[in-house]
Amino acid sequence: MKYLMCIILFASFTCKGGISVVNGLSHEHQNAQLTGSIKVKNEGTKTERVSLYLQDLVPNCDGSVVYQEPSGQQWIFLDKDFIELGAGEEVEVKYSLVPFKERETSQWQVVMVEAEDPIATDHQGGVQINSKVRYAIQIVLHAGAYQAPEVGFHEVKLNSKETISVTLKNHGSYMTFVNLKLEVLTEEGKIVKVFEGNKRRIYPGYCTTFTIPVDDIPAGKYAGVLVADNGKDLYGSHLLLEL
């Protein structure tokens, strides 16, 4: 028997299931705010059994996102690791946080909220595949006095003249959110495209990648101006494009 996991990380609902997390999929805390909660609701008509456990989140600079067993000192403590919810019932799971001593940085992990029963069953080639839903709740603690980190352009790549991949890296000690803007100009300086991406989270030492479509721009040579904005500082880069 195989299981297909649907991990919900950045959106409220990516696949349908019997449970939902009703108070957000990311929680940020400062030094003085060391407690929080995760509210889980049974949206279905039958009893749901739900497990909660910690995992590390590793957003690599090659674009892959890895979930793995926690490493290092435990700092998130859940008051429940298993709950049972009747139809329509909502349960609050509380947690407490312990900052790392003598370290000024952003700490982060995810709390996995996983329904035990599959939401769908399929048979393919004699193999039974059960689809299960799992929510990844990002917990972030900013220990010490927060400082907006430096953001750098880790890689900029043109993919088959259809998209541009821009990978930004966080060179600081704290998590940040960043917006990316690209202006594409002709050799005469006329703007032919402006792209503004949605705000993305970048953890210390790790990356996020924006993918910008350029297949709607006529073939030719262009200049590009990239601007990354972390809310405090602007970081720019110039490009030469041949489409």
Side-chain angles (χ1 to χ4, degrees):
M1 182 184 300
K2 293 185 177 180
Y3 284 95
L4 174 65
M5 302 301 298
C6 179
I7 299 176
I8 303 174
L9 179 61
F10 297 114
S12 296
F13 296 97
T14 300
C15 55
K16 294 181 180 178
I19 65 168
S20 65
V21 176
V22 300
N23 65 330
L25 299 181
S26 64
H27 300 183
E28 279 191 60
H29 299 265
Q30 303 293 335
N31 272 328
Q33 186 189 10
L34 298 177
T35 60
S37 67
I38 298 167
K39 296 180 181 179
V40 184
K41 185 175 182 179
N42 182 355
E43 304 283 359
T45 57
K46 64 182 183 68
T47 298
E48 291 282 356
R49 295 176 295 275
V50 179
S51 298
L52 298 97
Y53 55 94
L54 301 175
Q55 286 202 321
D56 286 344
L57 168 64
V58 183
N60 292 307
C61 290
D62 62 5
S64 64
V65 177
V66 178
Y67 300 92
Q68 60 190 30
E69 291 298 313
S71 58
Q73 174 186 345
Q74 183 177 356
W75 60 278
I76 300 176
F77 297 88
L78 303 171
D79 73 343
K80 302 179 186 72
D81 59 13
F82 177 84
I83 54 177
E84 189 169 283
L85 300 92
E89 184 180 3
E90 182 177 305
V91 172
E92 182 179 43
V93 178
K94 296 180 180 179
Y95 60 81
S96 58
L97 310 176
V98 177
F100 296 145
K101 291 183 178 180
E102 299 178 356
R103 287 179 60 183
E104 295 195 350
T105 185
S106 293
Q107 305 168 206
W108 75 95
Q109 275 186 323
V110 293
V111 177
M112 292 297 188
V113 179
E114 182 177 329
E116 290 195 350
D117 294 333
I119 59 172
T121 300
D122 190 19
H123 292 84
Q124 297 181 9
V127 178
Q128 178 176 317
I129 300 177
N130 290 330
S131 299
K132 298 178 70 175
V133 62
R134 178 168 66 164
Y135 290 85
I137 315 301
Q138 298 182 67
I139 308 294
V140 184
L141 171 60
H142 302 303
Y146 181 86
Q147 298 180 19
E150 178 184 347
V151 175
F153 290 90
H154 180 74
E155 183 179 54
V156 179
K157 183 169 61 175
L158 179 64
N159 306 304
S160 303
K161 299 185 179 182
E162 295 181 353
T163 62
I164 297 174
S165 297
V166 181
T167 300
L168 302 175
K169 186 170 184 177
N170 182 339
H171 293 291
S173 299
Y174 288 94
M175 185 212 78
T176 190
F177 287 95
V178 65
N179 282 325
L180 182 72
K181 181 177 180 179
L182 169 67
E183 290 187 353
V184 180
L185 304 93
T186 65
E187 293 180 308
E188 293 76 31
K190 180 182 178 181
I191 296 176
V192 296
K193 183 182 180 74
V194 177
F195 169 88
E196 292 192 50
N198 294 324
K199 186 184 293 186
R200 298 263 184 103
R201 183 193 312 262
I202 316 180
Y203 286 111
Y206 290 99
C207 299
T208 192
T209 299
F210 292 83
T211 300
I212 304 170
V214 292
D215 55 348
D216 56 341
I217 300 176
K221 294 183 179 181
Y222 300 91
V225 179
L226 284 167
V227 178
D229 180 2
N230 70 353
K232 178 184 178 183
D233 299 306
L234 300 177
Y235 301 90
S237 181
H238 292 271
L239 307 177
L240 293 176
L241 301 173
E242 186 169 351
L243 303 174

